[in-house]
Amino acid sequence: MWKNRNVWIILTGEFIAGLGLWLGIIGNLEFMQEKIPSDFLKSLLMATGLVAGIIVGPYAGKITDQKSKKTVMLWSGLLRTISVIFMLIAIATGSVWWMLVFFVTIQISAAFYFPALQAAIPLIVKDKDLLQLNGVHMNVSTLSRIIGTAVAGILLVLLPLSMLYIGSLVAYLGLLILTWFLNFEENTNSSSEKKNTNGKTSFKDVLPVIKGLPIVFMTLSMTLVPLLFLGGFNLLVINISELQDSSAIKGWIYTAEGVSFMIGAFFIKKISDNFSPYKILFGSSLLVGVSQMMLYFADVFAVTIAAFLVFGFSVGCFFPTASTIFQTKVPKDFHGRFFSFRNMLDRIGFQVVLLLTGFLLDFIGLQLMCVLYGGLTAIITIVFYLKNKQIRTAKLEN
């Protein structure tokens, strides 16, 4: 795997793009803190971009299955690069409306880019290497987040806010150039299949495939559980910072969660040798609930960091396992539509949780909300576990 040039291009591109992404995210938080006082209005603004991604999701899935994955990645990467210009205009004019345009365009870009990337990875390496590559890929993403947030914090002190987005623009241009050098063999169908793909393929065709694969359906459902934490993650960070009256806590939180995520993703290959994918998913999900409940003590620095360490490790095990299940169990001809469908579910989940988090933060406060989310996560996990046990028992009896 490590002799494959495409692997190094994907990982290097992910690192560079991650730096740009997190420079932009920290910039977004700073800009919104200055311009928008309400947490609910902040969440509403971010959710608007997610809606745009959901709307184009079905089209993105069809295009990814019909066209070259590399071509889709190139065009979506170009749109992502252009989107940063809108944020620079927002800073120059002090306009929240230009930030809205930025959110919409960058989310549309993501709606095309990430299904294409997930569909391309199984074409680059063999199935036996997928879990390792997924883990390494997520670790590279996390490392870029740690470095990106640290660099962003330094730049905010030393330079104008616009320089964060200049750095983001340069990073996205770098990713665009690297993507151009990808070279892998696309999935080739017979002429009759090709004709059907181009002419009669429907986005809805992926639904019977998901329904007919219980492990895929269960895993897809389980991926929605961590969204209760991830959906409002940035709003949580802002509120913890205000609760502890510390700007530095933001960097500590992102660093703790990121390092712990890397540890989980690094050891996932060894963990998977001793535990089934289901045990990893359910165990990780319960840990997410524990980390949420720990944030009832979000006014205590040590407990806050411990909570994000627990959360980082749990999702570091969870997501590589889920991605590998999807890439190996779902037929490759459906990868574009499936990963687009998954992205749509994630975006809808993010949108709902983002709006709910903004509302609850204004209504009941951070600490009670985290207890509520933690309890809900534990209940959902137990329900899924019992349902899975029931299905497996029924199979054995038959």
Side-chain angles (χ1 to χ4, degrees):
M1 184 182 79
W2 298 113
K3 294 179 181 179
N4 189 332
R5 187 185 70 163
N6 290 316
V7 170
W8 288 103
I9 291 175
I10 289 289
L11 295 178
T12 305
E14 179 64 29
F15 180 76
I16 294 173
L19 291 178
L21 173 67
W22 284 95
L23 286 173
I25 287 176
I26 297 300
N28 295 343
L29 297 179
E30 187 71 17
F31 187 82
M32 286 190 292
Q33 273 189 286
E34 292 178 2
K35 303 295 181 182
I36 306 173
S38 168
D39 287 315
F40 180 70
L41 290 178
K42 290 187 187 84
S43 65
L44 193 63
L45 179 64
M46 290 186 282
T48 306
L50 295 175
V51 171
I54 294 168
I55 292 173
V56 302
Y59 181 69
K62 289 176 63 177
I63 290 295
T64 301
D65 279 335
Q66 292 175 1
K67 307 296 182 183
S68 163
K69 275 67 172 176
K70 177 181 174 180
T71 301
V72 175
M73 291 167 69
L74 283 170
W75 281 107
S76 57
L78 179 61
L79 178 60
R80 176 165 49 184
T81 304
I82 294 171
S83 70
V84 181
I85 297 173
F86 298 131
M87 194 61 216
L88 290 171
I89 296 174
I91 294 171
T93 60
S95 171
V96 174
W97 292 107
W98 277 109
M99 186 180 209
L100 177 62
V101 176
F102 163 74
F103 276 135
V104 168
T105 51
I106 201 166
Q107 290 293 343
I108 289 175
S109 165
F112 281 88
Y113 182 83
F114 289 107
L117 175 62
Q118 287 296 311
I121 288 176
L123 302 177
I124 290 173
V125 298
K126 297 177 181 179
D127 286 356
K128 65 181 181 66
D129 295 322
L130 277 174
L131 183 59
Q132 184 180 12
L133 180 56
N134 284 324
V136 174
H137 184 262
M138 292 181 181
N139 269 346
V140 169
S141 175
T142 305
L143 182 62
S144 68
R145 174 174 35 166
I146 294 170
I147 296 175
T149 51
V151 171
I154 295 171
L155 291 180
L156 276 176
V157 175
L158 301 177
L159 298 171
L161 181 61
S162 60
M163 292 307 297
L164 267 69
Y165 292 96
I166 295 295
S168 185
L169 181 64
V170 172
Y172 290 153
L173 282 172
L175 174 62
L176 196 60
I177 294 169
L178 279 172
T179 303
W180 182 266
F181 290 102
L182 280 173
N183 183 23
F184 55 89
E185 186 176 338
E186 297 273 8
N187 189 29
T188 55
N189 300 321
S190 65
S191 58
S192 61
E193 289 174 324
K194 193 75 174 179
K195 183 178 179 181
N196 182 61
T197 300
N198 289 330
K200 299 181 180 179
T201 293
S202 169
F203 182 75
K204 294 179 182 178
D205 290 343
V206 76
L207 299 180
V209 175
I210 296 172
K211 188 177 180 181
L213 296 168
I215 188 171
V216 172
F217 179 78
M218 183 66 70
T219 305
L220 193 62
S221 302
M222 286 296 297
T223 57
L224 299 178
V225 175
L227 292 188
L228 279 176
F229 202 121
L230 292 171
F233 194 93
N234 291 330
L235 290 178
L236 289 178
V237 173
I238 292 174
N239 273 263
I240 291 171
S241 174
E242 293 172 351
L243 182 65
Q244 298 191 15
D245 192 23
S246 169
S247 297
I249 189 65
K250 294 177 185 175
W252 282 106
I253 287 173
Y254 283 120
T255 301
E257 188 269 339
V259 170
S260 186
F261 182 101
M262 291 177 67
I263 293 171
F266 180 78
F267 284 107
I268 187 57
K269 179 66 174 174
K270 293 183 178 179
I271 294 173
S272 65
D273 291 337
N274 299 314
F275 299 97
S276 70
Y278 279 126
K279 287 183 178 179
I280 294 173
L281 294 179
F282 291 128
S284 299
S285 184
L286 279 176
L287 283 178
V288 170
V290 171
S291 65
Q292 288 169 319
M293 292 181 183
M294 289 174 68
L295 287 178
Y296 179 75
F297 304 99
D299 55 330
V300 181
F301 176 85
V303 178
T304 300
I305 299 304
F308 282 96
L309 286 172
V310 172
F311 174 73
F313 182 82
S314 62
V315 292
C317 295
F318 186 99
F319 285 117
T321 303
S323 294
T324 303
I325 290 172
F326 295 146
Q327 290 165 347
T328 55
K329 300 299 182 181
V330 177
K332 287 185 171 61
D333 289 347
F334 291 90
H335 274 185
R337 281 163 287 175
F338 174 79
F339 286 115
S340 182
F341 178 72
R342 183 196 171 187
N343 274 4
M344 288 173 62
L345 282 183
D346 285 347
R347 289 169 188 277
I348 292 171
F350 264 97
Q351 181 186 6
V352 172
V353 173
L354 185 60
L355 293 173
L356 182 62
T357 299
F359 172 75
L360 290 176
L361 284 171
D362 285 343
F363 187 65
I364 64 174
L366 170 70
Q367 290 156 299
L368 289 178
M369 184 199 73
C370 288
V371 172
L372 178 64
Y373 277 4
L376 188 58
T377 297
I379 292 171
I380 292 173
T381 303
I382 292 170
V383 169
F384 275 127
Y385 174 78
L386 294 176
K387 183 66 176 178
N388 176 64
K389 191 174 181 179
Q390 182 182 7
I391 292 172
R392 293 171 73 86
T393 302
K395 280 186 176 182
L396 290 173
E397 290 176 352
N398 292 332

